Amino acid sequence: ALPNMKGDTVRLSSFRGKVIILDFWTSTYPGALLDNRDMLNIYNEFKGRVAIYQVSLDTDKNALVNAIKEGGVPWTVVSDFNGDGCIASHVYNIQQIPANYIINKNFEIVGKNLFGNDLRKKLREIVG
């Protein structure tokens, strides 16, 4: 459970029953905008069938808000602005950015660190 950009706490468990991409990133990562552009394509392709819960490891809220606006990000983005000290990055043992987990409707992790076509293929397997 982390705050979104409006300050409202959003729990990952609130997406239970949906296929979830739990995505870890930071706007300061050089490829962040490209990664989010690809994620936007995936979001549009699987709209209504897959939820994205994106955890930012940013420390600067303004930089993150600008990256969200610039990238046209429509999904849930949360952050505690503690950077690498973010509790979620420790819970999920994040060692690199970007990183992700694919969680099925039964709230089971069924994939890890899948990107691009590999991510699309896994999502197609899960949601049909």
Side-chain angles (χ1 to χ4, degrees), residues 23-73:
D23 187 58
F24 292 84
W25 77 299
T26 178
S27 67
T28 58
Y29 169 71
L33 291 178
L34 288 175
D35 288 346
N36 264 2
R37 192 172 305 137
D38 190 44
M39 191 65 74
L40 185 58
N41 290 334
I42 289 169
Y43 173 85
N44 288 329
E45 182 177 341
F46 293 94
K47 196 171 189 172
R49 298 180 290 158
V50 173
I52 300 173
Y53 185 90
Q54 192 171 55
V55 178
S56 168
L57 301 183
D58 280 276
T59 57
D60 181 344
K61 184 173 183 175
N62 289 331
L64 177 57
V65 169
N66 288 337
I68 291 169
K69 286 180 184 174
E70 202 173 308
V73 173

Side-chain angles (χ1 to χ4, degrees), residues 13 22 31 38 41 53 65 76 94 96 98 118:
S13 61
L22 171 58
D38 190 44
N41 290 334
Y53 185 90
V65 169
T76 301
I94 300 304
Q96 65 182 24
D118 292 333

Side-chain angles (χ1 to χ4, degrees), residues 58-127:
D58 280 276
T59 57
D60 181 344
K61 184 173 183 175
N62 289 331
L64 177 57
V65 169
N66 288 337
I68 291 169
K69 286 180 184 174
E70 202 173 308
V73 173
W75 53 81
T76 301
V77 179
V78 296
S79 182
D80 61 10
F81 300 102
N82 287 324
D84 293 338
C86 175
I87 187 69
S89 69
H90 293 285
V91 168
Y92 285 92
N93 194 29
I94 300 304
Q95 301 294 315
Q96 65 182 24
I97 294 294
N100 66 39
Y101 287 92
I102 313 310
I103 302 170
N104 70 14
K105 291 180 180 184
N106 297 322
F107 223 63
E108 301 165 326
I109 295 172
V110 295
K112 180 180 177 183
N113 293 334
L114 299 173
F115 303 97
N117 288 331
D118 292 333
L119 177 55
R120 284 176 177 82
K121 181 180 176 187
K122 185 62 162 180
L123 293 173
R124 284 185 194 113
E125 287 175 14
I126 298 169
V127 300

Side-chain angles (χ1 to χ4, degrees), residues 2-10 61 76-79 81:
L2 290 167
N4 64 15
M5 297 306 96
K6 294 178 182 176
D8 299 325
T9 299
V10 181
K61 184 173 183 175
T76 301
V77 179
V78 296
S79 182
F81 300 102

